[in-house]
């Protein structure tokens, strides 16, 4: 009670988290059980809200493992909040989100200098609802190398009818090829037409040192545009569609989408469509998505003429009585490298005592590696996976997930099991067996199990203690 | 014991000081603020508060132990203390509990818990970013830094107190392999007080200042000067006011590894006092690299590089009239081990050419007369060496210093004249090293042959004009009367103009250095302009342009500290072959080019 009084009356909060981990694993050669150095981790969080709209947050951690014991600063910010604005100086935080609804020009991970944890530091200013205007200014320093990122965005809402905005972004670095920066200018427009129907468009132009010079490179080659019509509602059908044209040399290192090191989606022109049908009076959704476009890249090679790509995806999701649901989807991609077909089934049941999920996926249907009809695949394979939660008592829970893979001449498997004890307040104890990593991305859809035919059950036991204070 | 131990956060409560409890109220626009409470029967005119430059109203009241209710009477209205969340009664009066020695205690939770033991936390956080031109001349975001200090204070039954500071700074100390930023234990101090016995254990913190009244004229290593921050050790004091005192100290320097022991016993009878002290200093490892004065011109091959280890034992006797006059006699021995090298600048190789021991004698007589606000002092010292450097240099030297200091609320003036006498063919290397170490005056190049005279003058004053604008002026000059006279003058002017919650601060500095030896006669100007917005007492946003005169790690450290860190320090001398005068120019040039734009956010609680 006394503690509660202190922490709620005073504008400062101390919180923390402690974790202790012991694990042992069976090494293969020579065979023996290796007991790893126990890991102890403690994290403190301090937040203060002194008067005047100021805010301070810092977190720091202590880590004890085979490297010894050390204390480190995790992340923190100093912030000034006003009714329609905020100013923050931050370190190592995820504060880079800026709206780019169609082209996704900003990706937080590309700005926060994220390699084994964010390291970027910067300042961010936001304002909103100021005579209809809104905006963001952001300047950030990459800390593990010499460079900076700047983003400025300003826009105005004309009631609900029209939104307009302009954004300027620049990533700056030292030396190398001139210009030593990547600059983006972009504009966004959204028009409300009728009820749920909106027309929106986003256009961006890039400057990057890797763009070639010369008359053959047009302005549109360095630009990207996307126009979207969202949510035409007609008798239970929701229809959306968009047209996009991403220039061959539209490079945006602050995004994932147009980043050569990540999704490199530049050099594409095409359409995207989506139909969602909600079956009346039934808990059934039917979804169809398609995309057709021409691509200039067999990445990283720029081709002399584009080739066609089509992608189709159909899904039925249904919920039945007594907590049972099912999902089926089929997906097909046709591109320069082949014809890729997958099919997926899932059934799930749930009650107060337990929850069970069963998944089955057949991937790369029809591809036979014996015939060498595709160099890019390990061939058709099927993966069966299951995941279950069982509440043994009010405080004891059993959890398990595992998968079996069956391919052409190969079998593989993975298993993870856990007993969770939540008997004590603010704490959790876990006893674990196996490898959690292979199926943590939605079971059989995780590439670690669907694309990696050498997974084996790992003999590994782990005891984990977690405590919050 | 444990049940009485309590953790609480003293956010914004009034603070205890040596003279009483400090109450503050932030109201830049208010015309008058009075402190009212049950200690002055809610008299609205008894305790007027004073406003500082930035609009913070302050008053210190000596309160005896007990619990008090109070409010601020601001332009005719009663206001509770907005930073103190503890209130009582139907009018929401702010509440404070005061212990012995004006210590502010956490609120009493019940009659059964005396609350004499508690833990409090405080923090000061700063974030800044700077914008500066790069080599191509375009402006870029140059740096971003967050700096947080967290203080932990533990009080056990008012007898033992522990203060510790944890610190991180994202600009420094980052591990390049993991890019993690260590949170390190910056400093700590443990006090234990029981009657006349005081025990202090300290780590990396301000340690000790000798009760020796001649605090202005002494040497760094001999306590007339407060021991610096990089000390760890223990101090025991047994003191009976107006009767006797015994001080025993052991301290180790974290940066140089120097060990120091000091014992002082003093006895006072009426206004007269007498004291005996002994002092042992072991293992100062100091490196010097200086242009040889024997050379006609600056040339790398004429550099000498010294590496000395100094042990010193001193015995002293003081007597005088307390707070009026002091006489001090010191006799001691210097034991030195030194390597000195010829440095080949082109090959960057150090070749030891000699290694010697020296046992020298020190005789010193010092005297001071006057009050703390105005006094004169003199200082005579003679050093005699057995062998060190004697083959090349002289065997002894003497110094004589005469000075005066005047301090008032508005004006501080100090002038001193220092004379050095040395035997024939002596270059007074030892005196030189000592001078550099003691005064750390950046403009000393070296005293040369024979007789040397060194004049130092410093004057500072401040004045508030038009009720708001405060001007501070600081002038200092140092001149050598030598055969090759170096000279340095420095003027620092600051202007502070607060206008309610916003304000501006400007400082202008002029620095002139002249040295015929280095063929230097240069003027330097630098300045810094700052605009700030202070929405609340504990929050400040600042934008500055120019050379920022204070460093982040130690606020309001003067520019000389910056110079010391950037180009004029002893360690820099050791790694730079151009002599001090050149380094001064280099440091000043760095400053002259440093025209960055800074944006700050500061928060404390």
């Amino acid at each position: 009670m006394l503690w509660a009084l202190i922490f709620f009356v005073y504008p400062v909060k101390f919180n923390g988290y402690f974790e202790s981990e012991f694990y042992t694993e069976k090494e293969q050669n020579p065979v023996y059980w290796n007991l790893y150095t126990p890991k102890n981790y403690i994290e403190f969080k301090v937040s203060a809200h002194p008067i005047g709209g100021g805010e301070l947050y810092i977190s720091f951690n202590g880590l004890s493992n085979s490297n010894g014991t050390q204390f480190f600063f995790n992340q923190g910010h100093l912030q000034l909040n006003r009714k329609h604005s905020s100013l923050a100086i931050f370190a190592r935080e995820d504060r880079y989100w800026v709206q780019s609804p169609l082209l996704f020009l900003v990706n937080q991970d590309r700005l926060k200098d994220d390699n084994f944890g964010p390291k970027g530091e910067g300042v961010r200013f936001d304002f909103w609802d100021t005579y209809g205007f809104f905006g963001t200014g952001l300047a950030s320093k990459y800390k593990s190398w010499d460079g900076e990122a700047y983003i400025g965005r300003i826009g105005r809402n004309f009631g609900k009818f029209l939104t307009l905005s302009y954004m300027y972004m620049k990533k700056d670095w030292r030396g190398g090829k001139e210009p030593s920066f990547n600059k983006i200018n972009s504009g966004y427009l959204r028009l409300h037409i009728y009820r749920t129907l909106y027309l929106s468009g986003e256009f961006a132009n890039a400057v990057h040192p890797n763009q070639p010079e010369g008359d053959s490179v047009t302005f549109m080659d360095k630009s990207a545009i996307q126009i979207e019509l969202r949510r035409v509602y007609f008798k239970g059908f929701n229809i959306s569609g968009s047209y996009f044209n991403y220039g061959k040399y539209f490079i945006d290192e602050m995004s994932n989408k147009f980043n050569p090191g990540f999704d490199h989606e530049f050099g594409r022109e095409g359409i995207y469509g989506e139909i969602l049908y909600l079956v009346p009076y039934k808990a059934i959704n039917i979804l169809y998505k398609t995309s057709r476009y021409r691509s200039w890249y067999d990445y990283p090679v720029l081709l002399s003429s584009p080739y066609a790509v089509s992608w189709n995806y159909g899904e039925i999701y249904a919920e039945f009585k007594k907590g049972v649901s099912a999902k089926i989807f089929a997906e097909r991609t046709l591109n320069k490298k082949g014809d890729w077909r997958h099919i997926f089934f899932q059934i799930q049941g749930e009650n107060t005592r337990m929850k069970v999920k069963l998944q089955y996926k057949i991937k790369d249907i029809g591809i036979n590696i014996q015939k060498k009809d595709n160099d890019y695949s390990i061939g058709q394979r099927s993966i069966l996976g299951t995941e279950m939660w069982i509440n043994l008592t009010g405080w004891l829970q059993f959890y398990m997930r595992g998968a079996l893979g069956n391919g052409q001449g190969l079998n593989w498997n993975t298993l993870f099991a856990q007993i969770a004890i939540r008997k004590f307040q603010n704490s959790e104890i876990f006893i674990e067996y196996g490898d959690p990593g292979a199926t943590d991305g939605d079971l059989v859809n995780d590439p670690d199990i669907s694309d990696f035919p050498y997974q084996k059950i790992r003999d590994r036991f782990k005891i984990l203690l977690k405590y919050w204070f | 014991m444990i049940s009485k131990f309590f953790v609480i956060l003293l956010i914004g409560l009034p603070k205890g000081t040596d003279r009483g409890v400090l109450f503050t109220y932030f109201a830049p626009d208010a015309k008058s603020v009075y402190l009212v409470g049950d200690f002055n029967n809610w008299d609205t005119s008894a305790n007027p508060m004073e406003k500082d430059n930035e609009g913070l109203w302050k008053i210190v009241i000596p309160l005896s132990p007990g619990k008090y209710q109070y409010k601020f009477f601001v332009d005719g209205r009663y206001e509770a203390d907005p930073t103190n969340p503890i209130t009582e009664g139907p009018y929401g009066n702010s509440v404070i509990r005061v212990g012995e020695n004006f210590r502010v205690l956490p609120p009493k939770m019940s009659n059964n818990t005396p609350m004499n033991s508690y833990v409090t936390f405080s923090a000061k956080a700063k974030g800044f970013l700077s914008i500066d031109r790069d080599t191509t001349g375009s402006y870029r975001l140059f740096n971003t830094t967050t700096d947080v200090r967290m203080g932990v204070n533990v009080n056990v039954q008012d007898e033992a107190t522990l203060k510790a500071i944890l610190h991180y700074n994202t600009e420094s100390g980052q591990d390049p392999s993991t890019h993690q930023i260590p949170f390190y234990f910056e400093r700590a101090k443990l006090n234990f007080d029981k009657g006349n016995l005081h025990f202090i254990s300290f780590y990396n913190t301000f340690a000790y200042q000798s009760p020796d009244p001649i605090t202005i004229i002494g040497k760094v290593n001999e306590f007339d000067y407060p021991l610096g921050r990089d000390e760890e050790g223990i101090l025991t004091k047994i003191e009976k006011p107006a009767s006797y005192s015994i001080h025993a100290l052991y301290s180790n320097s974290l940066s140089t590894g120097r060990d120091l022991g000091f014992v002082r016993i003093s006895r006072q009878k009426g206004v007269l006092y007498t004291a005996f002290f002994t002092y042992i200093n072991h293992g100062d490892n100091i490196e010097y690299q200086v242009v040889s004065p024997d050379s006609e011109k600056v040339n790398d091959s004429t550099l000498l590089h010294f590496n000395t280890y100094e042990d010193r034992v001193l015995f002293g006797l003081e007597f005088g009239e307390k707070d009026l006059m002091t006489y001090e006699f010191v006799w001691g021995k210097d034991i030195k081990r030194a390597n000195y090298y010829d440095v080949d600048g082109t090959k960057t190789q150090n070749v030891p050419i000699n290694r010697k021991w020296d046992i020298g004698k020190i005789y010193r007589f010092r005297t001071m007369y006057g009050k703390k606000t105005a006094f004169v002092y003199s200082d005579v010292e003679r050093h005699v060496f057995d062998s060190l450097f004697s083959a090349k240099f002289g065997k002894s030297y003497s110094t004589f210093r005469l000075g005066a200091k005047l301090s008032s609320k508005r004006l501080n003036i100090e002038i001193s004249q220092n004379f050095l006498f040395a035997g024939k063919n002596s270059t007074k290397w030892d005196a030189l090293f000592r001078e550099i170490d003691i005064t750390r005056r950046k403009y000393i190049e070296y005293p040369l042959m024979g007789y040397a005279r060194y004049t130092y003058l410093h004057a500072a004053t401040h004045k508030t004009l038009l009720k708001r604008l405060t001007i501070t002026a600081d002038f200092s000059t140092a001149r050598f009367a030598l055969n090759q006279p170096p000279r340095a003058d420095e003027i620092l002017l600051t202007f502070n103009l607060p206008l309610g919650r916003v304000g501006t601060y400007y400082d202008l500095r002029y620095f002139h250095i002249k040295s015929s030896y280095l063929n230097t006669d240069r003027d330097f100007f630098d300045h810094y302009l700052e605009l700030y917005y202070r929405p609340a007492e504990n929050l400040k946003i600042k934008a500055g342009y120019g050379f920022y005169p204070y460093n982040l790690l130690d606020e309001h450290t003067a520019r000389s500290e910056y110079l010391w860190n950037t180009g004029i320090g002893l360690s820099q001398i050791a790694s730079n072959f151009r002599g001090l005068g050149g380094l001064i120019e280099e440091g000043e040039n760095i400053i002259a080019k440093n025209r960055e734009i800074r944006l700050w956010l500061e928060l404390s609680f």
Side-chain angles (χ1 to χ4, degrees):
Chain A
M1 184 57 207
L2 219 50
W3 280 95
L5 184 73
I6 297 158
F7 287 157
F8 291 108
V9 169
Y10 287 79
V12 176
K13 282 184 184 170
F14 280 77
N15 299 105
Y17 167 70
F18 174 76
E19 183 183 300
S20 191
E21 179 187 296
F22 302 85
Y23 85 93
T24 179
E25 182 165 2
K26 198 176 187 179
E27 303 283 333
Q28 293 306 315
N29 189 22
V31 177
Y32 73 103
W33 284 91
N34 184 8
L35 180 65
Y36 286 83
T37 308
K39 190 179 96 179
N40 291 293
Y41 174 85
I42 190 160
E43 187 173 308
F44 297 97
K45 295 171 187 175
V46 184
S47 60
H49 295 84
I51 57 169
E55 180 183 317
L56 166 72
Y57 173 80
I58 52 171
S59 83
F60 55 102
N61 68 68
L63 181 65
S64 141
N65 56 18
S66 55
N67 297 325
T69 304
Q70 281 172 296
F71 266 90
F72 297 110
F73 162 65
N74 269 357
Q75 62 177 66
H77 66 254
L78 278 164
Q79 190 163 327
L80 178 68
N81 298 313
R82 287 286 180 264
K83 196 177 175 188
H84 294 294
S85 66
S86 74
L87 172 70
I89 291 182
F90 59 91
R92 301 175 161 241
E93 285 192 337
D94 293 346
R95 283 179 171 260
Y96 296 94
W97 186 85
V98 180
Q99 202 179 28
S100 168
L102 300 177
L103 294 174
F104 302 103
L105 296 169
V106 186
N107 185 288
Q108 185 137 268
D109 290 347
R110 303 287 74 79
L111 290 164
K112 68 185 183 184
D113 194 5
D114 193 12
N115 186 18
F116 302 107
K119 289 173 279 296
E121 264 183 74
V123 61
R124 179 177 178 135
F125 176 69
D126 288 280
F127 68 95
W128 54 90
D129 294 346
T130 309
Y131 306 109
F133 285 94
F134 57 87
T136 297
L138 191 150
S140 172
K141 185 91 189 156
Y142 292 90
K143 282 293 197 176
S144 61
W145 53 279
D146 194 7
E148 306 93 36
Y150 308 93
I151 300 176
R153 182 168 183 261
I154 187 159
R156 180 151 191 215
N157 292 318
F158 296 89
K160 287 184 178 172
F161 171 67
L162 177 67
T163 300
L164 286 173
S165 73
Y166 163 75
M167 182 158 70
Y168 169 85
M169 305 176 5
K170 190 178 179 190
K171 178 179 175 177
D172 219 328
W173 59 88
R174 303 288 183 274
K177 212 164 157 185
E178 289 296 329
S180 62
F181 57 78
N182 181 196
K183 193 165 72 178
I184 312 285
N185 280 287
S186 75
Y188 172 72
L189 172 149
R190 192 180 73 159
L191 192 65
H192 180 222
I193 298 173
Y194 177 72
R195 289 192 178 172
T196 60
L197 183 61
Y198 287 90
L199 176 69
S200 53
E202 192 169 10
F203 175 81
N205 176 264
V207 177
H208 192 277
N210 289 355
Q211 288 169 336
E213 302 282 331
D215 295 340
S216 60
V217 181
T218 64
F219 178 76
M220 284 309 292
D221 284 342
K222 300 175 185 176
S223 305
I225 187 167
Q226 185 151 350
I227 297 163
E228 183 188 71
L229 194 63
R230 178 149 283 276
R231 286 218 157 192
V232 178
Y233 183 77
F234 179 71
K235 292 193 173 178
F237 287 90
N238 286 280
I239 304 164
S240 303
S242 68
Y243 162 79
F244 57 89
N245 184 355
Y246 308 146
K248 279 183 279 189
Y249 306 113
F250 180 75
I251 302 171
D252 174 10
E253 292 194 11
M254 288 158 279
S255 73
N256 267 4
K257 198 175 166 78
F258 303 108
N259 192 327
F262 292 87
D263 298 344
H264 45 75
E265 288 188 15
F266 34 74
R268 292 182 186 182
E269 184 187 0
I271 52 165
Y272 170 83
E274 186 182 301
I275 302 170
L276 173 66
Y277 180 64
L278 309 171
V279 179
Y281 311 112
K282 305 273 184 192
I284 299 173
N285 299 345
I286 300 169
L287 174 67
Y288 172 69
K289 294 193 275 190
T290 183
S291 179
R292 279 143 212 278
Y293 59 91
R294 294 185 309 146
S295 174
W296 281 88
Y297 282 91
D298 182 7
Y299 200 79
V301 180
L302 175 63
L303 306 170
S304 54
S305 60
Y307 64 93
V309 179
S310 76
W311 172 76
N312 290 287
Y313 176 90
E315 180 190 297
I316 300 171
Y317 176 78
E319 287 188 359
F320 307 103
K321 286 176 182 173
K322 296 186 177 177
V324 177
S325 68
K327 185 164 120 178
I328 300 169
F329 76 71
E331 187 181 5
R332 184 179 188 188
T333 308
L334 267 169
N335 63 15
K336 198 176 166 59
K337 289 174 182 169
D339 180 0
W340 310 89
R341 289 173 290 167
H342 322 299
I343 191 159
F344 171 85
F345 305 92
Q346 175 184 295
I347 187 155
Q348 183 175 308
E350 185 175 355
N351 64 20
T352 54
R353 178 63 90 179
M354 65 188 295
K355 180 178 167 185
V356 180
K357 189 195 273 184
L358 195 67
Q359 288 183 348
Y360 183 65
K361 186 174 189 178
I362 307 172
K363 203 167 177 186
D364 295 351
I365 295 168
I367 295 177
N368 188 333
I369 51 169
Q370 306 299 333
K371 293 182 185 170
K372 295 193 174 176
D373 54 4
N374 192 307
D375 293 338
Y376 302 97
S377 171
I378 57 170
Q380 178 179 321
R381 64 269 191 199
S382 58
I383 308 107
L384 177 68
T386 183
E387 187 171 15
M388 66 174 73
W389 296 256
I390 302 170
N391 293 324
L392 299 172
T393 71
W395 52 269
L396 192 66
Q397 191 184 57
F398 174 75
Y399 170 77
M400 186 278 281
R401 66 171 186 257
L404 296 169
N406 195 343
Q408 292 163 15
L410 284 169
N411 289 298
W412 61 99
N413 49 50
T414 183
L415 179 69
F416 174 69
Q418 184 189 66
I419 291 170
I421 301 162
R422 297 187 176 88
K423 175 84 174 162
F424 311 103
Q425 205 175 5
N426 295 339
S427 70
E428 287 180 339
I429 300 167
F430 298 98
I431 302 163
E432 295 176 353
Y433 172 77
D435 178 14
T439 45
D440 56 357
D442 191 22
L443 209 54
V444 303
N445 290 313
D446 190 327
D448 287 339
I449 189 74
S450 62
D451 296 347
F452 189 67
Y454 306 104
Q455 285 286 359
K456 288 286 168 223
I457 293 173
R458 288 170 73 177
D459 280 329
R460 181 165 72 168
F461 284 99
K462 187 189 271 191
I463 298 173
L464 202 63
L465 168 72
K466 296 180 177 183
Y467 180 72
W468 289 264
F469 57 91
Chain B
M1 183 68 190
I2 294 297
S3 65
K4 292 177 183 175
F5 207 84
F6 186 61
V7 179
I8 200 162
L9 306 159
L10 290 178
I11 310 305
L13 286 181
K15 292 174 181 63
T17 71
D18 293 343
R19 294 180 294 120
V21 178
L22 171 67
F23 292 84
T24 58
Y25 185 79
F26 185 68
D29 308 321
K31 292 186 174 60
S32 69
V33 181
Y34 292 83
L35 178 68
V36 292
D38 44 16
F39 45 82
N40 63 10
N41 292 322
W42 300 92
D43 184 343
T44 54
S45 59
N47 295 112
M49 298 174 77
E50 275 186 29
K51 186 161 81 164
D52 75 2
N53 272 334
E54 294 187 5
L56 187 66
W57 297 79
K58 296 177 183 173
I59 191 168
V60 176
I61 305 276
L63 294 175
S64 48
K67 190 174 92 172
Y68 301 95
Q69 293 189 6
Y70 68 98
K71 270 192 168 178
F72 298 104
F73 191 64
V74 184
D75 292 343
R77 288 173 291 106
Y78 289 96
E79 300 283 351
D81 188 345
T83 61
N84 180 355
I86 305 155
T87 55
E88 261 184 24
Y91 301 108
N93 295 333
S94 300
V95 179
I96 183 180
R97 270 191 77 219
V98 180
E100 295 291 339
N101 301 321
F102 315 123
R103 211 171 264 168
V104 176
L105 304 175
K108 196 172 185 174
M109 304 307 288
S110 79
N111 290 332
N112 298 326
T113 50
M115 294 305 181
N116 284 340
S117 302
Y118 51 86
V119 180
T120 63
F121 296 92
S122 61
K124 188 160 192 176
K126 297 179 210 179
F128 86 82
L129 61 95
S130 63
I131 299 157
D132 204 354
R133 284 174 193 267
D134 65 8
T135 48
T136 65
S138 54
Y139 277 102
R140 277 184 161 153
L141 179 62
F142 208 71
N143 197 2
T144 55
T145 298
T146 334
D147 179 278
V148 175
R149 280 197 164 80
M150 288 180 61
V152 182
N153 304 297
V154 183
N155 181 307
V156 183
Q157 296 292 311
D158 278 349
E159 283 178 358
T161 56
L162 170 71
K163 292 181 179 179
I165 291 177
L166 297 168
H167 181 213
Y168 79 79
N169 180 299
T170 58
E171 194 177 20
S172 59
Q174 183 162 295
D175 180 345
S177 60
T178 61
H179 294 287
Q180 289 193 301
I181 297 165
F183 214 114
Y184 66 93
F185 187 56
E186 189 183 75
R187 65 187 81 157
K189 197 170 182 180
L190 171 74
N191 283 60
F192 177 80
D193 304 297
K194 188 96 181 170
N196 292 335
L197 174 68
H198 309 278
F199 175 82
I200 300 161
S201 169
F202 50 90
Y203 169 76
N204 198 24
T205 185
F206 169 79
Y208 182 66
Q209 183 159 11
S210 166
D212 179 348
I214 319 179
T215 54
I216 197 67
I217 57 173
K219 322 283 190 208
V220 172
N221 287 339
E222 293 171 26
F223 283 145
D224 308 319
Y225 197 96
L227 283 186
R229 223 178 231 169
D230 71 327
E231 298 282 336
E232 63 172 341
I234 48 173
L235 167 69
T236 306
K237 295 198 279 190
I238 302 169
E239 283 183 325
K240 190 170 182 187
S243 177
Y244 65 88
S245 77
I246 301 169
H247 289 191
L249 171 83
Y250 163 76
S251 186
N252 171 258
S253 164
L254 293 165
S255 57
T256 66
R258 184 269 290 117
D259 297 297
L260 190 148
F262 177 72
V263 178
R264 182 178 186 272
I265 301 165
S266 77
R267 180 88 172 94
Q268 188 180 340
K269 199 142 192 175
V271 292
L272 298 176
Y273 85 97
T274 180
F276 169 78
F277 68 82
T278 180
Y279 161 95
I280 300 169
N281 181 40
H282 169 65
D284 258 353
N285 180 2
I286 301 168
E287 288 195 20
Y288 305 108
Q289 199 155 336
V290 186
V291 179
S292 165
D294 302 329
S295 168
E296 298 253 324
K297 56 182 180 178
V298 180
N299 185 318
D300 284 347
S301 63
T302 63
L303 282 164
L304 288 174
H305 178 193
F306 289 84
N307 186 343
T308 69
Y309 299 86
E310 300 185 354
D311 293 348
R312 170 169 286 191
V313 182
L314 297 177
F315 301 97
L317 192 64
E318 297 166 35
F319 61 88
E321 187 178 331
K322 194 146 177 67
D323 299 329
L324 186 63
M325 67 174 84
T326 292
Y327 301 97
E328 180 188 285
F329 297 93
V330 173
W331 176 85
K333 286 216 168 199
D334 258 346
I335 304 151
K336 284 190 187 181
R337 294 154 287 154
N339 295 320
Y340 62 97
Y341 306 89
D342 276 341
V343 178
D344 185 332
T346 53
K347 290 182 185 170
T348 62
Q349 272 184 331
N350 293 342
V351 184
I353 57 170
N354 207 343
R355 177 189 167 86
K356 287 196 173 179
W357 282 73
D358 178 85
I359 298 179
K361 296 182 194 70
I362 304 162
Y363 307 93
R364 186 196 299 163
F365 172 66
R366 299 194 289 186
T367 178
M368 184 201 90
Y369 183 84
K371 297 283 185 188
K372 272 188 179 171
T373 49
F375 57 85
V376 291
Y377 55 84
S378 69
D379 175 350
V380 180
E381 192 164 317
R382 179 167 173 77
H383 287 241
V384 180
F385 308 114
D386 278 357
S387 59
L388 183 68
F389 311 136
S390 59
K392 205 165 183 177
F393 313 118
K395 274 212 160 197
S396 69
Y397 74 88
S398 305
T399 63
F400 172 59
R401 186 189 313 213
L402 196 62
K405 186 165 180 178
L406 177 72
S407 315
S408 73
K409 201 175 175 185
R410 290 223 181 280
L411 184 66
N412 282 300
I413 297 180
E414 184 187 355
I415 184 161
S416 74
Q417 187 74 344
N418 198 5
F419 304 92
L420 281 98
F421 306 93
K424 199 179 177 187
N425 295 329
S426 167
T427 45
K428 299 179 288 297
W429 282 102
D430 190 72
L432 158 67
F433 301 148
R434 214 155 272 289
E435 281 303 321
I436 291 172
D437 193 30
I438 292 163
T439 63
R440 295 189 172 188
R441 304 221 187 282
K442 52 191 174 292
Y443 23 75
I444 291 176
E445 285 186 297
Y446 47 85
L448 293 179
M449 315 279 279
Y451 161 80
R453 196 177 82 235
Y454 162 58
T455 308
Y456 170 65
L457 171 67
H458 175 250
T461 184
H462 63 93
K463 173 84 179 153
T464 302
L465 301 173
L466 307 169
K467 293 185 179 176
R468 284 186 187 274
L469 175 66
T470 305
I471 301 173
T472 309
D474 194 303
F475 169 73
S476 61
T477 181
R479 288 150 198 255
F480 275 102
L482 298 170
N483 46 355
Q484 293 168 325
R487 160 190 161 182
D489 307 309
E490 185 172 355
I491 300 171
L492 177 65
L493 288 172
T494 63
F495 302 86
N496 193 353
L497 180 63
L499 299 164
R501 289 174 195 274
V502 295
T504 179
Y505 171 84
Y506 177 71
D507 89 38
L508 171 72
R509 176 172 172 267
Y510 165 74
F511 181 72
H512 173 231
I513 177 171
K514 182 176 182 181
S515 165
S516 56
Y517 183 70
L518 287 160
N519 208 10
T520 298
D521 190 355
R522 295 272 311 263
D523 296 308
F524 297 91
F525 280 98
D526 63 81
H527 59 103
Y528 177 70
L529 173 68
E530 184 176 285
L531 302 171
Y532 64 80
Y533 168 53
R534 193 176 177 183
E537 184 180 338
N538 49 16
L539 183 67
K540 209 170 187 182
I541 301 167
K542 306 193 287 190
Y545 173 74
F547 166 71
Y548 182 69
Y550 311 115
N551 72 42
L552 245 184
L553 299 176
D554 190 2
E555 192 167 7
H556 292 264
T557 301
R559 269 163 214 276
S560 55
E561 186 88 6
Y562 179 88
L563 282 168
W564 186 256
N565 290 332
T566 46
I568 331 276
L570 278 181
S571 58
Q572 280 77 18
I573 297 166
S575 59
N576 194 304
F577 290 71
R578 289 171 50 195
L580 267 172
L583 284 168
I584 293 166
E585 274 205 32
E586 201 170 281
E588 291 295 338
N589 278 327
I590 291 169
I591 289 178
K593 286 179 192 163
N594 206 329
R595 289 275 176 271
E596 60 181 23
I597 300 166
R598 279 189 178 222
L599 177 70
W600 289 81
L601 200 59
E602 279 186 13
L603 185 65
S604 58
F605 63 87

